[in-house]
Amino acid sequence: MLETTERGRDYQERLKKFMDGFVYPAESVYAEQMAAAGSPHSQPQILEDLKAEAKSQGLWNLFHPDPEWGPGLTNLEYAPPAEITGHSIEIAPESINCNAPDTGNMEVFTRFGTDEQKEMYLQPLLDGTIASAFAMTEPAVASSDATNVEMRMDATDDGFVLNGRKWFASNGMHPNCRVLIVMGKTSPDAEVHRQQSMLVVPIDAPGVTVVRNLPVFGYHDREGHAEITFDNVHVPAKDILKGEGEGFAISQARLGPGRIHHCMRAIGAAERALELMVKRAESRVTFGEKLSSRANIQDWIAEARIEIDQARLLTLHAADMMDKHGNKVAKNEIAEIKVVAPAMALKIIDRAIQVHGGAGVTEDFPLASMWAHMRTLRLADGPDEVHKRSIARNEMKKYRK
């Protein structure tokens, strides 16, 4: 029922060959070049080499649903390739130009950007020559409710003046980051979901200050999660996206496909963790027997296979619903996978760490970094509790008279 198309299978097979031939061998080179760079936010040459190779093989912008800008894969067709990139989550997504938050920002520019914005920002993003960040979350309010954002976007005769503080602007520390999509309040007295707007702001605009990178569980991710202040930043009226009061609607449109992508990458990470767990269990002996002979380890392996397959089927179902009925109709399925997939991956990665012993918490294996990414993902794009609230409310509606 959830079979992909012949085109979808072709991209899967080609991407698997790219991963085997280029990405996995590049992981150690990537680590060496990052260590030699002296900065956690450098852009290593190996990643640029991978991007060039992916372009030459036609494995580029696979996420984009519009055939004018990419191969035009459906959500169901793209979901398995997204899972494949999750096996090497630090470098594979960017190597094929399918990394967050650029994917979501490219879709926003595609759907809501002006011709000028598409020329200045969308095309370079599609080419992989620049990066972008999405600035919505704020440290002073509970940003899981997007209507809480307090950034002021005061109207002037020719545009807006921005004042406020954002944080967790992923990609904000990327050396190629050139543009921000910023959400704030242009109409504080309007209906609650019509108060917010989104503006396009160059990261080097006067008054924009990147204050610091926010480490995640002690990791300074290469793309960074920036805290950024806006002090009387002037933005021309032409750089508003869609129009005043459209910010909340744009944010919802942006997050639907992105959640599918995140969840499938999480499933890929869980597959990698399961592979590492099995190989470690087969290679280590305790008290005269292989770890893999222990009943509890076998339980973990079996449960991992069941839970990964369950999460994958649920995610593919959500992707299929989006393709057939649209994001709004599929909102419950999208919420379900956002709860299920990261938590599932986190559990399996944690058990793989346990099987690896002390080695599992070091950088000799990718597990510790994967764990930090998956734990963070339970907060990104809305924490679990927001999605559970939405699911519960939709369920209760069925029985209300």
Side-chain angles (χ1 to χ4, degrees):
M1 290 175 63
L2 295 173
E3 271 293 310
T4 190
T5 61
E6 184 176 343
R7 177 178 66 166
R9 284 190 290 272
D10 176 62
Y11 276 106
Q12 287 180 54
E13 292 307 312
R14 289 164 55 197
L15 185 57
K16 285 178 183 177
K17 290 178 182 178
F18 176 70
M19 296 285 289
D20 290 338
F22 296 92
V23 174
Y24 297 132
E27 288 179 338
S28 60
V29 180
Y30 171 83
E32 291 169 4
Q33 291 184 356
M34 287 299 298
S39 168
H41 308 301
S42 66
Q43 185 73 354
Q45 182 59 45
I46 187 63
L47 192 49
E48 293 300 321
D49 295 343
L50 287 172
K51 288 163 66 175
E53 182 62 34
K55 277 186 184 180
S56 73
Q57 294 191 25
L59 297 170
W60 193 252
N61 293 331
L62 301 186
F63 76 95
H64 209 300
D66 189 333
E68 180 181 353
W69 307 101
L73 300 179
T74 65
N75 286 298
L76 186 58
E77 287 175 321
Y78 174 62
E83 177 184 337
I84 292 167
T85 65
H87 286 246
S88 185
I89 204 161
E90 280 199 67
I91 61 174
E94 188 170 348
S95 72
I96 64 170
N97 214 38
C98 291
N99 53 296
D102 285 335
T103 50
N105 290 344
M106 282 187 264
E107 289 201 43
V108 168
F109 279 125
T110 300
R111 295 180 61 182
F112 308 112
T114 64
D115 290 342
E116 180 183 355
Q117 290 163 353
K118 289 176 181 177
E119 181 181 352
M120 287 185 65
Y121 301 119
L122 176 58
Q123 193 58 60
L125 283 168
L126 289 165
D127 293 339
T129 57
I130 70 169
S132 62
F134 184 67
M136 184 188 79
T137 306
E138 297 178 2
V141 297
S143 300
S144 55
D145 178 358
T147 65
N148 279 340
V149 297
E150 293 181 339
M151 168 169 275
R152 289 169 49 199
M153 293 179 164
D154 298 324
T156 65
D157 291 340
D158 58 349
F160 303 89
V161 173
L162 277 56
N163 283 282
R165 182 180 293 265
K166 298 288 185 180
W167 71 347
F168 285 101
S170 298
N171 251 11
M173 306 302 295
H174 197 297
N176 296 338
C177 187
R178 298 291 181 269
V179 64
L180 311 170
I181 294 178
V182 185
M183 184 167 172
K185 285 191 175 178
T186 48
S187 308
D189 298 325
E191 186 270 324
V192 67
H193 292 104
R194 297 286 302 173
Q195 297 176 2
Q196 307 81 17
S197 298
M198 287 193 187
L199 299 178
V200 178
V201 184
I203 198 168
D204 59 356
V208 175
T209 302
V210 177
V211 177
R212 59 170 175 153
N213 177 60
L214 295 159
V216 177
F217 289 102
Y219 287 95
H220 288 270
D221 292 334
R222 184 174 52 81
E223 72 278 10
H225 309 286
E227 181 174 352
I228 305 174
T229 58
F230 298 77
D231 184 14
N232 291 323
V233 178
H234 179 262
V235 180
K238 65 181 178 61
D239 284 335
I240 193 167
L241 287 165
K242 195 176 181 183
E244 286 193 43
E246 298 288 348
F248 189 85
I250 294 173
S251 71
Q252 295 306 299
R254 181 186 185 279
L255 289 172
R259 286 170 178 155
I260 288 281
H261 305 168
H262 273 314
C263 290
M264 291 306 292
R265 286 191 292 264
I267 292 164
E271 285 281 11
R272 180 82 179 270
L274 174 57
E275 176 189 347
L276 291 169
M277 177 163 55
V278 171
K279 288 179 177 178
R280 186 75 170 188
E282 280 285 284
S283 69
R284 292 285 163 145
V285 174
T286 61
F287 307 106
E289 293 185 38
K290 284 184 178 182
L291 279 178
S292 59
S293 70
R294 308 292 178 186
N296 68 313
I297 303 298
Q298 292 180 10
D299 279 351
W300 289 357
I301 292 168
E303 288 171 5
R305 170 49 52 215
I306 293 166
E307 290 161 1
I308 289 172
D309 289 349
Q310 287 175 331
R312 180 185 294 110
L313 283 170
L314 190 61
T315 307
L316 292 175
H317 171 60
D320 189 49
M321 284 284 291
M322 291 168 68
D323 290 335
K324 290 178 178 175
H325 306 290
N327 296 1
K328 190 172 183 179
V329 173
K331 64 181 181 180
N332 217 58
E333 286 76 12
I334 295 170
E336 289 173 24
I337 63 169
K338 186 57 177 63
V339 174
V340 167
M344 173 277 299
L346 193 63
K347 176 181 175 182
I348 292 169
I349 294 166
D350 183 74
R351 286 178 166 178
I353 289 172
Q354 198 71 9
V355 171
H356 280 71
V361 299
T362 71
E363 292 187 356
D364 288 3
F365 293 88
L367 294 167
S369 175
M370 287 164 62
W371 189 95
H373 276 91
M374 290 303 114
R375 185 60 187 85
T376 306
L377 190 55
R378 290 186 59 198
L379 294 166
D381 289 355
D384 292 356
E385 291 71 24
V386 170
H387 300 294
K388 289 179 181 179
R389 175 176 179 265
S390 175
I391 295 165
R393 291 172 75 179
N394 289 332
E395 194 67 21
M396 289 186 291
K397 283 179 185 177
K398 298 177 185 178
Y399 304 98
R400 285 178 180 159
K401 294 182 180 179

